């Protein structure tokens, strides 16, 4: 879990910054989610998102593209939310 700044704007800026992974596919999933959906989530879901960002890029990519699933239920839930968000953005 990441240290949560007291200032919500700083927290969300940190989330956007950490969402940039340098892989276009991951950036599509993560940056869009961080900018558009993360501010609406509760603290537990936001913490799950930061836990996801602590994982290896190759694992995150596999989970987000449906080629596997994380072992932790909270990570599975946030991955599902990110995938749902990306599906809506594509339409």
């Amino acid at each position: 879990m990441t240290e949560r700044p007291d200032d919500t704007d700083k927290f969300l800026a940190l989330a956007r910054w950490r969402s940039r992974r340098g892989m276009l596919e991951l950036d599509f999933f993560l940056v869009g989610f961080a900018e558009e959906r993360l501010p609406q989530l509760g603290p537990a879901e936001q913490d799950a998102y930061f836990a996801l960002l602590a994982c290896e890029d190759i694992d995150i990519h596999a989970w987000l593209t449906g080629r596997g699933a994380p072992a932790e239920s909270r990570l599975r839930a946030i991955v599902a939310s990110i995938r749902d968000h990306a599906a809506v953005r594509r339409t």
Side-chain angles (χ1 to χ4, degrees):
M1 183 169 72
T2 204
E3 185 69 27
R4 183 181 294 273
D6 292 332
D7 183 328
T8 301
D9 290 335
K10 286 182 183 177
F11 176 77
L12 294 174
L14 177 63
R16 283 190 299 273
W17 176 256
R18 291 199 177 160
S19 296
R20 297 181 189 281
R21 309 302 276 207
M23 180 188 293
L24 184 59
E25 294 88 350
L26 283 182
D27 287 353
F28 171 79
F29 281 108
L30 299 175
V31 174
F33 184 83
E35 290 176 349
E36 298 167 15
R37 183 77 177 99
L38 192 64
Q40 302 163 6
L41 300 181
E45 292 168 304
Q46 290 176 347
D47 288 344
Y49 183 76
F50 271 92
L52 177 71
L53 295 180
C55 297
E56 295 291 327
D57 286 356
I58 195 162
D59 293 330
I60 297 170
H61 185 265
W63 300 333
L64 292 175
T65 56
R67 293 190 316 261
E72 275 188 73
S73 63
R74 71 181 185 142
L75 294 183
R76 283 194 306 273
I78 200 69
V79 164
S81 293
I82 295 167
R83 291 183 72 195
D84 290 346
H85 179 264
V88 169
R89 289 181 74 207
R90 285 188 190 122
T91 59

